[in-house]
Amino acid sequence: MTVDAATIVARCDELAAVTATPGQITRVYLSPEHARVNTIVARWMQDAGMTTWQDDAGNLHGSVPGATDDAPVLLVGSHLDTVVDAGRYDGIVGVLMGIAAVARIRAEHGALPFGIQVIAFSDEEGTRFGKALLGSSAVAGVWDEAWWELTDAEGVSLRKAFTDFGLDPSRVGDAAVDPSRLVGYLEAHIEQGPYLEQADQALGVVTSIASARRFTVEAVGEARHAGGTPYERRHDALLAAAEAALAVERICRASQHVGTVGTMTVEPGAVNVVPGLAHFSVDLRGEFDEGRDRVWDEITKAFALIGERRGVSVEPTEVHRAPAVFCAPRLMDAVRAGIVATGSPAPMELFSRAGHDAMSLGLVTDVAMLFLRNPDGISHHPDEFVSEADIALGLDALVTAITTLAAEPS
Ligand code: GLV
Ligand code: MN
Ligand code: MN
């Protein structure tokens, strides 16, 4: 069965209905919604002629064999999990394009010199446990035992969430692929930024993916009466956190990085009590690891000064760290050839400021990414969009990229 761009759009709409929050799209790791989309997408993989399985970290795989028994494997993928109140294309469209590419290649080219394995990663966003890329880290074989103790907003540990989902934590290592068998990893994704649209290009070749770190920060002050406590006696945790958030912006702006405080909670959370405790997150991105780390050092110094001045302790804990990943020239050439074949003679190259599953795979194999134009650059928002026409072009480019690789001498 062939799968065209209209079918991909219809499937994005169908998956958008699988949500924890009616009226929004929210689908997090190891949730009932995660299980449901895996079941639905496995059926689409099977319709495209693939053998399917769920691995020991909850990622869904579908594969078609290569022309010989010992053929290597090209991985193609993206993710099915979402942020809170998400759009319907981030990650999802890349998985569905992978399935559509396999269906088309099987029909038009038969078996290639390599097998193709499409992976629908289960956690790219890190929405539930703060740590991003859990699914692809398991596949890359870079799982860190310390992650088991991460907890979600309800206090459920990652270990318990695995068990509740029907997974055995002791087997997570079995989700790892054998890098010696891989041709590499290709990922199609919406841009999540405005640059392709500004350049009037439907598609682009990714050169590298931003280096990232994430932290949770605890600010501990003292809860006291909002009327009776003069300013000089206050240790207001919210004000320390607010100043810290402004410091993140100031330092990142001055150094060409991006830093975001995306969550903040305050306790005890009463109108007439000076906040005694605040928790907030910091998400930090930059093009290179060294710059990112230098900026973080500056931020922690600013946090310490703010804390000292206000008598509030401001303590960050790192929950996620991913190095910048540089795409492999050989695979970038194939993506470029795919875009050229769609009638765009000089494909735009761009750096990805957003994180992707390719970051984990890039630790063990060659990776490349194809970006699709994202009108107004809006993503992680319900208005996120990619046109059916651009998906059609992207699918043509992905198919050509894969068959270009297949035509290379092994
Ligand atoms: C994922 O979309 C990220 O970049 O946070
Ligand atoms: Mn994504
Ligand atoms: Mn995302």
Side-chain angles (χ1 to χ4, degrees):
M1 166 187 173
T2 57
V3 182
D4 60 11
T7 306
I8 292 174
V9 171
R11 288 177 172 182
C12 287
D13 293 344
E14 186 173 338
L15 296 182
V18 184
T19 174
T21 318
Q24 297 184 351
I25 306 169
T26 301
R27 199 165 51 239
V28 302
Y29 191 33
L30 304 173
S31 62
E33 297 73 40
H34 167 185
R36 274 174 58 206
V37 289
N38 275 10
T39 304
I40 296 168
V41 175
R43 186 164 32 82
W44 294 335
M45 287 174 162
Q46 289 154 15
D47 290 346
M50 291 186 236
T51 304
T52 62
W53 68 98
Q54 182 179 278
D55 71 22
D56 290 292
N59 302 296
L60 173 69
H61 301 245
S63 78
V64 288
T68 56
D69 284 348
D70 60 348
V73 176
L74 175 70
L75 303 180
V76 179
S78 198
H79 60 97
L80 295 179
D81 67 310
T82 73
V83 293
V84 173
D85 198 10
R88 59 188 59 201
Y89 303 103
D90 173 1
I92 291 103
V93 78
V95 174
L96 301 181
M97 284 171 62
I99 297 170
V102 167
R104 178 146 5 133
I105 288 167
R106 274 185 88 238
E108 294 177 6
H109 301 269
L112 301 183
F114 45 75
I116 307 176
Q117 188 167 322
V118 175
I119 312 182
F121 290 105
S122 51
D123 173 76
E124 186 268 359
E125 305 285 5
T127 307
R128 182 167 178 190
F129 293 100
K131 159 82 191 112
L133 302 170
L134 286 168
S136 50
S137 295
V139 170
V142 294
W143 193 266
D144 183 338
E145 291 295 311
W147 296 341
W148 291 122
E149 306 317 320
L150 292 170
T151 50
D152 69 7
E154 267 72 54
V156 177
S157 70
L158 178 56
R159 185 187 299 281
K160 171 137 187 355
F162 252 62
T163 316
D164 292 349
F165 194 77
L167 295 168
D168 177 352
S170 72
R171 301 193 57 148
V172 71
D174 294 348
V177 286
D178 173 2
S180 70
R181 292 194 55 231
L182 300 181
V183 175
Y185 171 78
L186 287 183
E187 178 166 356
H189 203 286
I190 57 166
E191 184 200 328
Q192 306 183 280
Y195 297 103
L196 285 170
E197 183 180 55
Q198 275 171 19
D200 199 22
Q201 298 281 314
L203 305 173
V205 185
V206 176
T207 51
S208 71
I209 307 169
S211 163
R213 288 174 79 175
R214 289 185 188 174
F215 304 84
T216 55
V217 188
E218 184 173 70
V220 184
E222 189 182 36
R224 283 212 182 208
H225 197 288
T229 316
Y231 278 116
E232 54 276 13
R233 299 285 296 270
R234 293 185 184 209
H235 303 289
D236 187 322
L238 171 59
L239 293 183
E243 256 198 80
L246 290 170
V248 169
E249 188 201 22
R250 175 175 47 76
I251 294 166
C252 288
R253 266 181 187 273
S255 64
Q256 306 297 315
H257 286 69
V258 280
T260 304
V261 173
T263 69
M264 194 175 285
T265 57
V266 175
E267 290 179 32
V271 67
N272 57 352
V273 182
V274 174
L277 188 65
H279 287 107
F280 61 98
S281 60
V282 180
D283 175 300
L284 175 64
R285 324 264 180 135
E287 192 164 3
F288 302 105
D289 300 349
E290 301 73 27
R292 172 204 67 181
D293 293 342
R294 219 175 26 251
V295 164
W296 177 246
D297 286 348
E298 215 181 309
I299 290 172
T300 51
K301 282 186 193 126
F303 284 3
L305 285 175
I306 293 162
E308 215 175 284
R309 192 162 23 79
R310 291 188 171 274
V312 174
S313 83
V314 183
E315 290 297 330
T317 305
E318 186 172 65
V319 291
H320 172 67
R321 181 192 294 229
V325 164
F326 296 86
C327 295
R330 175 180 64 97
L331 297 184
M332 283 170 62
D333 283 349
V335 172
R336 199 175 289 110
I339 299 176
V340 169
T342 66
S344 181
M348 181 170 169
E349 298 196 349
L350 66 173
F351 150 63
S352 173
R353 288 158 177 83
H356 299 290
D357 298 295
M359 301 178 85
S360 304
L361 277 301
L363 300 175
V364 294
T365 191
D366 286 352
V367 302
M369 292 189 70
L370 167 70
F371 264 1
L372 278 65
R373 171 165 51 196
N374 174 203
D376 196 27
I378 188 162
S379 181
H380 286 183
H381 186 279
D383 290 348
E384 178 182 276
F385 185 64
V386 53
S387 73
E388 186 183 314
D390 287 354
I391 294 173
L393 286 173
L395 179 57
D396 288 348
L398 182 61
V399 168
T400 306
I402 294 172
T403 53
T404 300
L405 284 174
E408 282 179 358
S410 56

